[in-house]
Amino acid sequence: MKDIEPADGRFLEYAPAPESTSILKVRTDYGLFIDGEWVQGRGKSFTTISPSSEKKIATIASASDADVDAAVAAARRAYEKSWAKLSGSDRGKYLFRIARLVQERARELAVAESLDNGKPIKESRDVDVPLVAAWFFYYAGWADKLDYAGLGANPRPLGVAAQIIPWNFPLLMLAWKIAPALAAGNTVVLKPAETTPLTALLFAEIVQQAGLPRGVVNIVTGAGDTGAALVRHPDVDKVAFTGSTAVGREIAKTVAGTHKKVTLELGGKAANIVFDDAPIDQAVEGIVNGIFFNQGHVCCAGSRLLVQENVHDEVIDRLKRRLSTLRLGDPLDKNTDIGAINSAEQLERIRTLSDIGEREGAERWSAPCEIPENGFWFAPTIFTGVETSSTIAREEIFGPVLSVLTFRTPAEAIAKANNTPYGLSAGIWTDKGSKILAMADRLRAGVIWANTFNRFDPASPFGGYKESGYGREGGRHGLGAYLKSGASK
Amino acid sequence: MTIDKSAPAAAAPATLAPAERAVQVLGGDLTEKALRQNLEGLPGVDAVGLEQRAAGLATRSIKTSSKAWALDRIIRLIDLTTLEGADTPGKVRSLVAKAVNPDPSDAATPRVAAVCVYGDKVPDAIEALGAAHGDPDDGLISVAAVATAFPSGRASLRVKLADTADAVAAGADEIDMVIDRGAFLAGRYGKVFDEIVAVKEACRRTDGSYASLKVILETGELNTYDNVRRASWLAILAGGDFIKTSTGKVQPAATLPVTLLMLEAVRDWHRLTGEKVGVKPAGGIRASKDAIRYLVTVAETVGEEWLQPHLFRFGASSLLNDVLLQRQKTITGHYSGPDYVTID
């Protein structure tokens, strides 16, 4: 047989399909959003860049201690004067309104997120933004049903919540924090990550559009100092943090001995366990989705692949084939699978840890892909021959790097999976339901996915064991983090 | 675990026809037991994961030059089909005219790969094609005939073989056979296997060459993805040149997840033996947009070298005109309408 004009890579080299940025109107500079208004920051302003091009997006204000003070004071006033006095159903109306505005402005938010964070538009469009709306819808529904949150009748809000979120899912983490806090009757001061403030600032516009009483939501931008000032502030009743374990530990120290309630959602080194009776093609997809989704910038990423030794070669061969079809490049192209690494600093960390992996004797393989000239990029990489003692099997890399280990029996899989200071998530791949249940019982991780990975739903609580943090976000449990029992003083 | 004392296995013949591929993979002593163990040993399919992957592939955005290439290629991969009780010589002539000259307003429009008709209409199709009859790899048009008591397959093997041999004798280049779904669902894999081997032999022409054999699984009746994977593997082992989703007479016909799964089987076969088997989704693909999703799925699963008439086909009738409308749009920049493409 001969071919009629073979495609010769012409078809798979899909023509560019960039999402238009015309819908997004970015201001040249942004102040702080305090008490319902935009105000100048008193700290030294900074720029936010697009990690895929290193081009400047906007100048961002930095909140000084005094600005943080003003924001907390505004939140306190709003808490006492308006928000806590509203009925649950009225708070729900505002949250529903926010959810609908997020849906209306979904494309704009997705473009902004991909521009500022570097994640592919197909993820911001199909995962991040729809989940943001879902989170607000979900907690809007709870606002007038707090009696059923599990804390007895008439549970009460905590007061002012200080919320600090990371750069990996900027708008989604904002939603995880703000939606339950407001539903429960708290007011918030939120600090987005230094490298990804854009969507939080667009969200401030949505807050204005929704007509939320002033001061209920305050957004202060800045670096670590701003966050520290916010955590330290004596008039804050609750601290919610998502980010690294190192910073989480600092926060725990700072609030120790105060009245502040804390929830911490920290790092992870999840085991994704593949048995020899797994649906193999779907398991390969799950491995890809587990570690290469969002460039591996996911705290619950399946960064340790535990594969049963008798199918190791088969799984790795299929995985390499699949990784070779991933498209790395312009985050705004609708066909991009792997976007940019969020910052030069993070790229450096990924490189350093990967080099250590190689030095320690693991075998490195990277998907063949062209790396763009500007911006921060790291090709999807897997390490085979990794041992439990290897650095890359213990430390969170937070990038598109998979460490592959093997196991022989379910008991060994459990032992290896649990052999980590973290305990955020885990995955199990097998066609046998009873095996899933038996494994899940013994895995010490807050979230366990069976025959899938990295699936999120507002109704499902999320959080970690051990050094992955404490408290739960999402679902009914997530409300508990922002309420106290009506009987307590 | 099924043991060989179980009723269906015991009732079926122990030894199978020694099809070359099956012997190669399962060993020389080809028994129904060995076939059963092979099929039941295939990894399971997780329905949620499979459908999620198909949905992910469907989000690819194919624009400008890629779209133009895709539209032309879709036309060259179509088996333009008429399978009605009411088919007449006139209807077949009209179908053939459309196949030869899909868009009279643009002579640069490629031709389809084949016309697909009932066996007794093969002479009409060949006569109407005239000089245009030949190998689609040469830009000509093949004649495909459905056979083996299409679409139900409920007839004796003798009748199915006669049906096939008739069509081949009449000049059919390709035979689209149906598997015995009843036997498959009853666990009689050996019967299904032996029938395919026998039909393949009936595809032999007097000069020793063979008509190409497409094996229709009728995935809508097999119902589960695990069944589709087993049937795909069975049809390949028995010697099918193509595996085809559906007759078009049963709903659901071709779906993207089912086609993806069959492509995975073909990919795995290629991985194992280096041999390329074709895939033909048929029925229910009406829009260019959908067809492009299939091309993406082929290219990203088995590779774009599969986008050739001898390795991938669309079984469709109304798809062609939608592709032509899209094609006119990419060339002229504006949409025309259904009156600007010809019906067959």
Side-chain angles (χ1 to χ4, degrees), chain A residues 257-308:
Chain A
T258 71
H259 73 291
K260 295 169 192 171
K261 278 183 88 169
V262 190
T263 42
L264 300 173
E265 205 269 85
L266 308 175
K269 194 73 191 175
N272 202 0
I273 304 166
V274 177
F275 285 98
D276 62 0
D277 58 359
I280 196 154
D281 288 310
Q282 288 75 48
V284 167
E285 287 305 313
I287 296 166
V288 173
N289 189 38
I291 184 63
F292 301 113
F293 172 62
N294 202 29
Q295 297 75 246
H297 300 330
V298 185
C299 45
C300 51
S303 52
R304 284 185 300 153
L305 173 64
L306 289 178
V307 58
Q308 198 162 349

Side-chain angles (χ1 to χ4, degrees), chain A residues 431, chain B residues 1-2 16 22 25-26 30-45 179 183-194 196 217 222 224-238 243 265 269:
Chain A
D431 239 7
Chain B
M1 171 88 60
T2 312
L16 301 177
V25 171
L26 304 179
L30 201 58
T31 61
E32 172 147 29
K33 187 177 163 188
L35 176 67
R36 174 183 307 283
Q37 280 174 345
N38 183 268
L39 298 180
E40 288 175 354
L42 293 170
V45 184
I179 64 164
F184 183 90
L185 292 170
R188 299 175 65 192
Y189 297 146
K191 178 167 195 289
V192 182
F193 180 91
D194 278 345
I196 298 172
L217 309 181
L222 298 183
T224 71
Y225 291 127
D226 285 322
N227 277 345
V228 172
R229 170 167 284 176
R230 285 177 191 173
S232 300
W233 204 247
L234 184 154
I236 294 171
L237 284 171
I243 50 177
W269 181 259

Side-chain angles (χ1 to χ4, degrees), chain A residues 246-484:
Chain A
V247 174
R249 213 175 260 132
E250 282 308 307
I251 289 175
K253 278 184 204 160
T254 309
V255 301
T258 71
H259 73 291
K260 295 169 192 171
K261 278 183 88 169
V262 190
T263 42
L264 300 173
E265 205 269 85
L266 308 175
K269 194 73 191 175
N272 202 0
I273 304 166
V274 177
F275 285 98
D276 62 0
D277 58 359
I280 196 154
D281 288 310
Q282 288 75 48
V284 167
E285 287 305 313
I287 296 166
V288 173
N289 189 38
I291 184 63
F292 301 113
F293 172 62
N294 202 29
Q295 297 75 246
H297 300 330
V298 185
C299 45
C300 51
S303 52
R304 284 185 300 153
L305 173 64
L306 289 178
V307 58
Q308 198 162 349
E309 198 170 328
N310 59 341
V311 289
H312 171 272
D313 294 356
E314 169 91 10
V315 168
I316 297 305
D317 182 52
R318 285 170 185 267
L319 184 61
K320 285 180 179 172
R321 274 181 74 123
R322 176 68 178 87
L323 292 183
S324 304
T325 69
L326 292 177
R327 288 148 199 278
L328 177 144
D330 180 8
L332 287 173
D333 191 299
K334 291 173 202 163
N335 293 323
T336 293
D337 298 314
I338 306 283
I341 301 299
N342 182 251
S343 64
E345 187 191 351
Q346 186 57 28
L347 178 60
E348 193 46 45
R349 177 177 167 77
I350 297 167
R351 281 187 179 147
T352 304
L353 281 164
S354 299
D355 292 345
I356 291 175
E358 222 166 342
R359 271 208 304 282
E360 288 180 358
E363 193 181 322
R364 177 180 186 156
W365 181 92
S366 291
C369 49
E370 234 174 87
I371 303 290
E373 215 171 289
N374 298 316
F376 318 125
W377 308 91
F378 198 89
T381 296
I382 59 179
F383 279 99
T384 48
V386 177
E387 307 305 334
T388 47
S389 57
S390 309
T391 307
I392 53 169
R394 306 203 62 78
E395 287 206 26
E396 186 179 34
I397 300 173
F398 221 64
V401 180
L402 178 68
S403 303
V404 185
L405 296 89
T406 60
F407 67 91
R408 296 162 296 174
T409 62
E412 189 178 9
I414 300 263
K416 285 187 169 172
N418 287 340
N419 182 224
T420 166
Y422 296 111
L424 189 51
S425 66
I428 306 166
W429 295 86
T430 167
D431 239 7
K432 207 168 190 179
S434 57
K435 203 189 275 180
I436 292 171
L437 297 176
M439 292 288 292
D441 251 3
R442 296 165 64 196
L443 285 169
R444 283 185 295 156
V447 181
I448 294 171
W449 284 292
N451 291 335
T452 188
F453 212 94
N454 276 340
R455 296 276 269 181
F456 305 98
D457 190 284
S460 167
F462 182 94
Y465 281 41
K466 302 187 278 183
E467 288 190 22
S468 289
Y470 38 80
R472 292 291 177 267
E473 296 187 297
R476 181 175 64 77
H477 302 76
L479 280 171
Y482 289 97
L483 285 173
K484 58 190 167 195

Side-chain angles (χ1 to χ4, degrees), chain B residues 40-239:
Chain B
E40 288 175 354
L42 293 170
V45 184
D46 184 78
V48 174
L50 177 71
E51 287 168 10
Q52 208 179 324
R53 172 69 178 140
L57 287 163
T59 67
R60 290 293 191 210
S61 183
I62 305 304
K63 300 284 183 207
T64 57
S65 56
S66 296
K67 187 176 180 184
W69 186 90
L71 292 173
D72 274 12
R73 189 51 55 113
I74 290 165
I75 296 174
R76 301 184 78 156
L77 297 174
I78 287 179
D79 282 1
L80 196 62
T81 302
T82 182
L83 294 170
E84 302 299 332
D87 284 344
T88 57
K91 169 69 190 176
V92 172
R93 276 198 299 276
S94 167
L95 183 84
V96 166
K98 177 77 178 172
V100 173
N101 189 9
D103 186 352
S105 70
D106 182 0
T109 311
R111 289 169 169 177
V112 302
V115 291
C116 183
V117 295
Y118 270 110
D120 63 333
K121 291 282 161 266
V122 169
D124 297 324
I126 288 175
E127 191 194 330
L129 277 168
H133 181 207
D135 191 335
D137 291 333
D138 299 324
L140 298 171
I141 297 169
S142 279
V143 175
V146 296
T148 69
F150 181 96
S152 72
R154 295 260 63 84
S156 69
L157 179 60
R158 196 161 46 83
V159 171
K160 292 180 186 180
L161 295 180
D163 193 11
T164 307
D166 271 2
V168 173
D173 308 288
E174 302 167 8
I175 295 295
D176 289 26
M177 72 168 286
V178 292
I179 64 164
D180 185 340
R181 284 88 75 189
F184 183 90
L185 292 170
R188 299 175 65 192
Y189 297 146
K191 178 167 195 289
V192 182
F193 180 91
D194 278 345
E195 277 196 8
I196 298 172
V197 175
V199 172
K200 169 110 180 165
E201 210 36 50
C203 288
R204 191 182 159 99
R205 303 189 188 95
T206 45
D207 67 358
S209 65
Y210 286 82
S212 171
L213 179 64
K214 306 195 196 93
V215 182
I216 302 172
L217 309 181
E218 196 67 299
T219 54
E221 289 185 348
L222 298 183
N223 204 277
T224 71
Y225 291 127
D226 285 322
N227 277 345
V228 172
R229 170 167 284 176
R230 285 177 191 173
S232 300
W233 204 247
L234 184 154
I236 294 171
L237 284 171

